[in-house]
Amino acid sequence: MILIDDMLAAAFQYRDTELWKELTDSDVFAFRLSDGETGYCCVMGNAGEHLALGFYRGRKGFTTYLKTISLGNEHLSGIEMFEMTTTFDCINCDFMQASDMDVKTKKIVRNYADAHKLKIRRSKGWPDFTRHQPGKMQYGITRMEDARDIVEALHAAIAVAAKVTSSDFARLGFDINGHYPTAKGGKSVPYLIPNADGTYDWHTTQLPAFLPDECVAPKFANDILAGEMKKLPVSGILQMKYFHMPMPVDAGGG
């Protein structure tokens, strides 16, 4: 698992902004990543329960956000909800209680805080990073590209926090009515373009539409079963039903 100083520095600085007091989870903003891709961010914590920054990379990642806001609006069965959550593709920077932290992660965070003379806020002041990938269990960050992306997302969020307290909300590109984005896309949101000196140019961009999942059809390659089926009487109807139920595997699984 990767948990480097840049991640913790950005996380502690973001936690200090308390941006969730200004934005809700409907106030999405976008920014340009260093590799040219567009990143999307959702600030969670306005209700005081779950303090986090959600990062979604590109259209595929942003579809994850659209799925999360639909979870409470649709009548999904347990199987359907499980299937949806196993398709998420995003990174969360969550802020936890000390008692909820993994022991090894907690030690790394504590050592960093002590070395930089930082006070860990109460409550929910311990940063924890979670990588969601389709078909895999939630885990920490294991790729340097993901570590880079979430650091850039946190920096963009810190820049947003500095602006929203001193600038007109609507002129920055936010929706003053607080409407959630929809699956059809097209909603205008703030778009931050980073400069070499660490500042950002502010523009707006339109959110992408929902990207349907691609479910690859299985190949029937069971010769023994095929032979048994050929022995069945030619009259009558043979029926089957196929369920798409992806099962998560750990980060190292295939």
Side-chain angles (χ1 to χ4, degrees):
M1 186 180 71
I2 298 171
L3 188 55
I4 57 177
D5 285 2
D6 284 351
M7 293 165 62
L8 293 173
F12 275 114
Q13 189 176 354
Y14 171 76
R15 175 66 178 81
D16 285 342
T17 69
E18 297 186 324
L19 183 55
W20 46 83
K21 292 184 177 180
E22 303 293 335
L23 302 184
T24 70
D25 59 359
S26 67
D27 298 316
V28 174
F29 61 89
F31 70 99
R32 180 183 294 169
L33 287 154
S34 57
D35 62 4
E37 180 62 276
T38 300
Y40 303 91
C41 291
C42 165
V43 175
M44 292 169 271
N46 190 259
E49 295 296 324
H50 178 209
L51 308 185
L53 180 74
F55 162 73
Y56 312 91
R57 181 181 173 87
R59 183 183 176 189
K60 181 180 178 182
F62 186 69
T63 290
T64 298
Y65 168 82
L66 294 172
K67 290 178 180 180
T68 63
I69 63 176
S70 70
L71 284 176
N73 300 328
E74 297 181 5
H75 299 290
L76 301 176
S77 68
I79 291 177
E80 290 170 326
M81 186 172 293
F82 174 76
E83 179 176 357
M84 180 182 291
T85 57
T86 59
T87 64
F88 286 177
D89 190 355
C90 59
I91 302 174
N92 270 14
C93 175
D94 302 292
F95 294 90
M96 315 287 288
Q97 297 286 76
S99 58
D100 296 328
M101 292 289 289
D102 171 78
V103 174
K104 291 182 179 179
T105 303
K106 184 178 177 180
K107 184 177 181 180
I108 295 172
V109 175
R110 170 55 73 189
N111 289 341
Y112 176 87
D114 290 346
H116 293 82
K117 296 180 172 58
L118 296 175
K119 183 178 180 180
I120 300 177
R121 282 180 174 246
R122 295 177 181 269
S123 65
K124 300 183 176 72
W126 292 77
D128 192 29
F129 297 85
T130 306
R131 181 68 166 100
H132 299 255
Q133 290 180 279
K136 294 186 178 181
M137 291 292 291
Q138 302 172 20
Y139 194 64
I141 291 177
T142 58
R143 299 173 64 249
M144 285 304 299
E145 293 85 354
D146 289 337
R148 175 203 64 199
D149 286 353
I150 191 60
V151 168
E152 292 180 13
L154 287 163
H155 286 165
I158 293 165
V160 170
K163 277 281 191 181
V164 295
T165 57
S166 60
S167 301
D168 181 81
F169 199 70
R171 292 186 67 179
L172 291 176
F174 289 106
D175 177 6
I176 60 173
N177 296 312
H179 294 151
Y180 280 96
T182 64
K184 67 180 180 181
K187 180 178 181 179
S188 182
V189 298
Y191 177 50
L192 283 68
I193 299 178
N195 297 311
D197 61 359
T199 62
Y200 293 84
D201 292 331
W202 281 68
H203 302 270
T204 58
T205 189
Q206 291 187 336
L207 293 176
F210 184 88
L211 183 65
D213 294 321
E214 292 186 7
C215 301
V216 179
K219 293 182 179 180
F220 185 78
N222 189 324
D223 293 338
I224 296 176
L225 181 58
E228 292 299 318
M229 292 172 62
K230 289 180 180 179
K231 296 177 183 178
L232 296 175
V234 295
S235 61
I237 299 174
L238 183 65
Q239 295 180 322
M240 67 172 290
K241 187 174 184 179
Y242 168 66
F243 288 92
H244 175 236
M245 293 179 60
M247 298 298 292
V249 297
D250 62 34

